[in-house]
Amino acid sequence: MFAPITRSMTLTLGLCSVALSPDLLADSEIEKAPVAGALELTATSITAQGLGNNTENTQSYTTGAMSSATRLNLSIKETPQSVSVVTRQQMDDFKLTSLSEAMRQTTGIVVQHNDSDRVNYSSRGYSINNFQVDGMLNTFSYMKSDSDTIIYDRIEVVRGATGLTTGAGDPSATINMVRKRPTAQWEAKTGVSAGSYDNYYTYLDVGGPLAFDGRLRGRSVLAYRDSDSFRDKYQQQREVGYGVLEADLTDATTLAVGYDYQNKHVQGTSWGTVPYWNADGSKANLGRSTNMATSWSSWPIKDQTAFANLDHQLGAGWHLKAAYTHRESDTDGKIYYAGGGFPEPDRSGMVANVSHMIGTQKMKAYDFNVSGPYSLLGREHELMMGYGQAQRSDRNPYTDGPMADDYAIVPDWKYMGDIGKFSDTVTSLTGSTSSTEQKAGYLATRLSLTDELHAVLGSRYGSWKSSSTTNSYDANQVLSAVDDTSQKHNDMWTPYAGLLYDITPEYTAYVSYTDIFKPQTNRDANRKYLEPVVGSNYELGLKGSLLQERLNLATALFWSDQDNVAELDDSVPPDPVTGEEFYKANGKGTKVRGFEAELSGEVMADWNMTAGYTYTHSVNGEKNRTNTTAPLNMFRLSTAYRLPGNWHALTVGGALNWQSEIYRAASRPVGRNAAGNIITQRTNISQDAYTLVNLMSRYEFDQHLSASLNVNNLLDKKYYENVGFYNGNYWGDPRTVTLSLDWKI
């Protein structure tokens, strides 16, 4: 199985050695600015000549430091784990205005929509459920919007198990979105864009010193999008607001407080895919514009977040950091989508998914840590230790109201204008509630064992608990039943270990081991919840940093395993009343083996590139391949080059996304029984390997005004982004063209 990995690694290393030979890079010397401390909140002035924590104004596709993997302030080369960074420059070049667009350009990340407003990110054979903002854990469940990226300086992705910084989850990845910070000098940017399908966007970004000789700084970002879609009836509007104040309370203490707001309105929301088969088993061949939703179907989401960060210099290089986040997400929309069934010749045969999406989720998170250098056995080392807590709660009101028995039966899925919005009553009664809480202390250190040999060791110790309540009411809205469930896991220990050897000043070999746990919802014969699944991730890799850390290379072999997975306990019969089946936790879960290679940064003066290849093979305990909706092989390339001489005002570039085949089994009609009901059998729906090509260009009229032209899916490739979900497929985006004007002071 590793033969493809070995061949890929050999080829990658060979290409890198040729492309990055000293002769080629000899005339590309760039001065490096000092690297700032982790999560540094003091104002910074960054030029294109140096990389620090921030990527804005660096004109780079890489970063000088990051802390998402270990919370230690390490460069990419010093981090013993696979990491990628989508910088502000890359987002601006390719107009990556949403999180999904940014992740489509990220090594090893699979982006798939289940429908118009639900998107899933996966890596290394597992879904990604751990998201951070400024390093603070986001414990939200389904209520997370596809964020607008205008407020972020960069997006960091750590692949593999990330239990040290996130606690519970799968050994997939963590996505950390890092907000923009105030600048030391006044800066102002504004822009407008217009694109295919009436996609209009505008923004304003202003920041700088406010008072007290620059000791008080601020920044504000506003944006608005109004767009139609290539899908019938679907429209979206999004309002974005962000503000932050940063103050040097003393020479040693900096406080930042801020607020961000994203409000998404949608019309024509789908809930599922487009049918792949007709009722007679033939292919439906429904086009990309097909949308089986009513025009009023909608799932709006409003996110509001308040946050505060404190950074205090203790002396001797030590820092105290404290952070608090409070987030609230609200939704109130009604969905009607003909997502069930199979189309008949008269356009009947479909059944609607009908739901009133209403509720509120709240999250608050705290984090405190201290970090700094220390001496041991005559050598200098680094230490970080802290405590974090994250809580999420949600409440959904009880809704009541009559609905006709045949309301969900769709008479004609192509013409649904005569289907009215269902009426129900949102009561003051509580329908359901749930909560999740994590608490943990954590510790990490970087040991300088010799001048060339370093170790990164860490540990997280804490607890996890959750509870949920569902209330049932009779016809008189009197409480008739309560279903309560809860579970708690204490003494959860998560280790982290990495060993790095500097082969040369530019190249480092590493090996690492990380853990992560995931609570289960299955119970044993004693009706106790099973112990969490434990996911372990191993990596063996080689990293390089050239051009004074402006160009990073990385290759890695990785493998991960899951243990303690639930298996049906055949020795115990199901509950005779509820029908609940019981499980035991001694099974082996998914095993993942793979290889990654990535190049990111400045290849030559004025030439930025990020390129990554991923091979991922996952099997279950019976050694059958799993996660077949994610490709075995993926290649991502983004590059931009500013022309020399008289054409220096022009930047041109392109992006290429290639992936191998994907497939998933679904139910295909194969006949009817005596009662006329459709009989189905499991049949794969597949999407062959495909390539998407994007182009970008930008012309700078002067130091203030620039115009950009971006073309996505240049060849207008027709492809399925998702297959087999709801027995159907989800079409990928067609060709789109966007023209933008940007102005800055």
Side-chain angles (χ1 to χ4, degrees):
M1 185 195 72
F2 278 96
I5 302 176
T6 306
R7 291 193 294 268
S8 301
M9 190 171 187
T10 302
L11 177 62
T12 302
L13 293 174
L15 292 174
C16 290
S17 64
V18 172
L20 302 172
S21 63
D23 291 339
L24 178 62
L25 304 174
D27 59 352
S28 301
E29 296 182 0
I30 302 172
E31 294 182 6
K32 179 190 172 187
V35 176
L39 296 178
E40 189 71 41
L41 299 180
T42 55
T44 55
S45 178
I46 300 175
T47 69
Q49 274 67 50
L51 300 180
N53 280 337
N54 296 339
T55 69
E56 196 175 18
N57 298 324
T58 65
Q59 302 173 12
S60 177
Y61 280 20
T62 192
T63 184
M66 59 169 300
S67 57
S68 297
T70 63
R71 291 188 181 267
L72 292 167
N73 185 41
L74 305 175
S75 69
I76 291 178
K77 185 168 75 74
E78 295 169 331
T79 303
Q81 204 166 348
S82 295
V83 297
S84 296
V85 179
V86 183
T87 66
R88 185 69 255 167
Q89 188 65 50
Q90 187 178 350
M91 287 187 274
D92 290 342
D93 284 349
F94 291 94
K95 304 303 176 185
L96 308 178
T97 58
S98 70
L99 179 61
S100 290
E101 291 171 344
M103 291 300 98
R104 287 193 181 102
Q105 300 294 335
T106 305
T107 301
I109 305 301
V110 180
V111 179
Q112 293 176 318
H113 278 82
N114 293 331
D115 39 53
S116 60
D117 293 280
R118 290 185 297 171
V119 60
N120 180 66
Y121 311 110
S122 63
S123 176
R124 297 188 174 181
Y126 304 92
S127 292
I128 300 174
N129 294 307
N130 282 328
F131 299 84
Q132 296 180 343
V133 181
D134 288 349
M136 298 292 285
L137 183 63
N138 182 353
T139 57
F140 275 19
S141 56
Y142 70 90
M143 254 191 231
K144 56 179 183 290
S145 58
D146 188 5
S147 303
D148 191 303
T149 61
I150 190 65
I151 70 173
Y152 301 124
D153 173 82
R154 65 192 182 278
I155 302 172
E156 300 174 350
V157 179
V158 182
R159 291 183 293 280
T162 57
L164 177 63
T165 58
T166 61
D170 285 311
S172 52
T174 288
I175 299 173
N176 181 26
M177 294 158 278
V178 183
R179 297 185 184 97
K180 295 175 176 178
R181 290 300 194 199
T183 52
Q185 294 82 35
W186 274 105
E187 294 185 8
K189 303 176 184 177
T190 187
V192 295
S193 67
S196 304
Y197 308 103
D198 294 327
N199 186 1
Y200 302 102
Y201 186 78
T202 183
Y203 74 92
L204 175 66
D205 185 347
V206 181
L210 298 177
F212 308 109
D213 296 324
R215 297 179 68 89
L216 177 63
R217 302 167 296 277
R219 188 161 188 174
S220 180
V221 181
L222 299 173
Y224 180 74
R225 179 179 301 281
D226 187 356
S227 69
D228 290 343
S229 172
F230 67 93
R231 292 183 174 85
D232 296 336
K233 294 174 278 191
Y234 188 79
Q235 296 176 312
Q236 180 186 143
Q237 302 82 38
R238 186 192 293 268
E239 304 147 5
V240 180
Y242 169 61
V244 60
L245 290 174
E246 192 174 80
D248 298 330
L249 304 181
T250 69
D251 291 342
T253 307
T254 299
L255 175 67
V257 295
Y259 170 82
D260 73 61
Y261 171 89
Q262 299 208 20
N263 190 11
K264 184 177 75 170
H265 314 269
V266 291
Q267 302 85 45
T269 297
S270 63
W271 190 261
T273 53
V274 175
Y276 188 77
W277 290 294
N278 291 315
D280 62 4
S282 62
K283 291 185 179 180
N285 293 321
L286 300 176
R288 290 186 290 193
S289 64
T290 304
N291 185 4
M292 295 180 170
T294 59
S295 58
W296 51 262
S297 182
S298 178
W299 189 16
I301 294 179
K302 180 172 66 176
D303 283 328
Q304 302 177 83
T305 305
F307 64 93
N309 298 279
L310 181 71
D311 187 329
H312 178 66
Q313 300 179 28
L314 300 172
W318 281 79
H319 285 251
L320 168 67
K321 303 179 190 296
Y324 170 77
T325 293
H326 178 87
R327 182 176 177 184
E328 182 171 317
S329 183
D330 299 281
T331 187
D332 186 359
K334 293 182 176 180
I335 291 174
Y336 189 101
Y337 183 74
F342 303 95
E344 298 280 3
D346 62 353
R347 295 199 295 265
S348 66
M350 302 304 295
V351 178
N353 299 316
V354 182
S355 181
H356 190 167
M357 314 295 290
I358 183 170
T360 299
Q361 286 195 358
K362 296 181 179 181
M363 182 204 74
K364 56 183 179 181
Y366 315 83
D367 191 85
F368 310 89
N369 66 75
V370 293
S371 61
Y374 67 98
S375 298
L376 181 66
L377 301 176
R379 306 191 70 84
E380 288 291 317
H381 316 281
E382 299 173 57
L383 178 69
M384 181 281 305
M385 53 185 175
Y387 173 83
Q389 180 176 329
Q391 299 172 315
R392 175 193 60 80
S393 63
D394 67 274
R395 179 187 181 277
N396 303 296
Y398 175 69
T399 59
D400 189 22
M403 187 180 297
D405 294 338
D406 62 348
Y407 181 70
I409 299 176
V410 183
D412 187 336
W413 58 262
K414 194 171 184 178
Y415 300 101
M416 303 170 62
D418 57 348
I419 298 176
K421 185 183 295 187
F422 60 92
S423 62
D424 58 359
T425 301
V426 180
T427 72
S428 59
L429 304 171
T430 300
S432 63
T433 61
S434 67
S435 66
T436 301
E437 182 181 59
Q438 292 193 69
K439 301 178 181 179
Y442 52 86
L443 173 75
T445 185
R446 184 176 188 266
L447 301 173
S448 297
L449 305 177
T450 68
D451 290 345
E452 296 81 19
L453 185 62
H454 308 275
V456 179
L457 305 175
S459 178
R460 182 184 181 95
Y461 181 82
S463 64
W464 181 97
K465 66 178 181 180
S466 73
S467 63
S468 64
T469 299
T470 301
N471 297 324
S472 300
Y473 299 88
D474 62 21
N476 299 316
Q477 296 188 2
V478 176
L479 185 66
S480 58
V482 178
D483 182 16
D484 282 320
T485 61
S486 65
Q487 59 174 309
K488 183 176 182 179
H489 301 285
N490 295 317
D491 305 319
M492 301 303 301
W493 179 65
T494 304
Y496 185 103
L499 191 66
L500 304 99
Y501 181 76
D502 297 331
I503 302 172
T504 68
E506 292 80 23
Y507 293 95
T508 297
Y510 74 92
V511 61
S512 67
Y513 169 85
T514 57
D515 256 7
I516 197 167
F517 70 93
K518 183 179 182 180
Q520 305 189 72
T521 57
N522 296 310
R523 298 192 294 182
D524 62 19
N526 298 316
R527 288 181 168 78
K528 293 183 178 180
Y529 285 101
L530 303 181
E531 291 297 311
V533 175
V534 177
S536 302
N537 183 84
Y538 305 82
E539 283 192 29
L540 175 66
L542 176 68
K543 293 190 176 186
S545 183
L546 299 97
L547 300 179
Q548 301 190 19
E549 299 185 1
R550 294 189 66 84
L551 180 65
N552 288 294
L553 308 171
T555 60
L557 287 168
F558 60 84
W559 57 101
S560 65
D561 301 298
Q562 281 190 329
D563 292 313
N564 212 42
V565 177
E567 287 186 339
L568 188 65
D569 190 349
D570 296 328
S571 66
V572 182
D575 187 288
V577 177
T578 65
E580 179 183 2
E581 295 181 311
F582 302 106
Y583 293 79
K584 53 187 178 182
N586 59 2
K588 298 292 183 180
T590 302
K591 298 181 181 292
V592 178
R593 307 290 185 265
F595 169 76
E596 290 176 343
E598 184 178 70
L599 177 151
S600 61
E602 190 173 70
V603 179
M604 298 177 61
D606 294 325
W607 182 15
N608 276 302
M609 178 186 295
T610 176
Y613 166 78
T614 308
Y615 170 82
T616 307
H617 187 269
S618 57
V619 297
N620 58 21
E622 288 73 42
K623 302 190 183 306
N624 297 318
R625 186 185 165 195
T626 63
N627 197 33
T628 57
T629 56
L632 280 173
N633 301 274
M634 292 192 301
F635 179 73
R636 304 279 189 261
L637 169 67
S638 301
T639 183
Y641 178 63
R642 186 167 184 175
L643 300 180
N646 294 332
W647 290 95
H648 197 58
L650 179 63
T651 301
V652 296
L656 186 149
N657 288 352
W658 172 86
Q659 68 174 52
S660 58
E661 178 193 26
I662 61 173
Y663 63 92
R664 175 160 45 192
S667 297
R668 178 186 179 182
V670 293
R672 297 180 184 267
N673 60 20
N677 299 319
I678 293 175
I679 302 171
T680 64
Q681 72 177 24
R682 302 296 284 174
T683 307
N684 285 339
I685 301 176
S686 63
Q687 167 61 59
D688 293 336
Y690 63 90
T691 302
L692 302 179
V693 179
N694 303 336
L695 296 180
M696 65 80 55
S697 62
R698 179 176 61 250
Y699 187 83
E700 298 180 5
F701 298 98
D702 53 36
Q703 61 180 338
H704 304 292
L705 182 64
S706 65
S708 301
L709 180 67
N710 291 77
V711 183
N712 291 339
N713 194 0
L714 174 70
L715 305 178
D716 199 25
K717 174 67 178 179
K718 289 187 175 182
Y719 66 100
Y720 300 141
E721 184 179 298
N722 198 350
V723 295
F725 187 67
Y726 276 65
N727 299 318
N729 57 270
Y730 186 85
W731 284 105
D733 293 350
R735 180 194 299 119
T736 58
V737 180
T738 303
L739 178 63
S740 308
L741 288 174
D742 298 275
W743 181 89
K744 62 182 179 181
I745 62 174

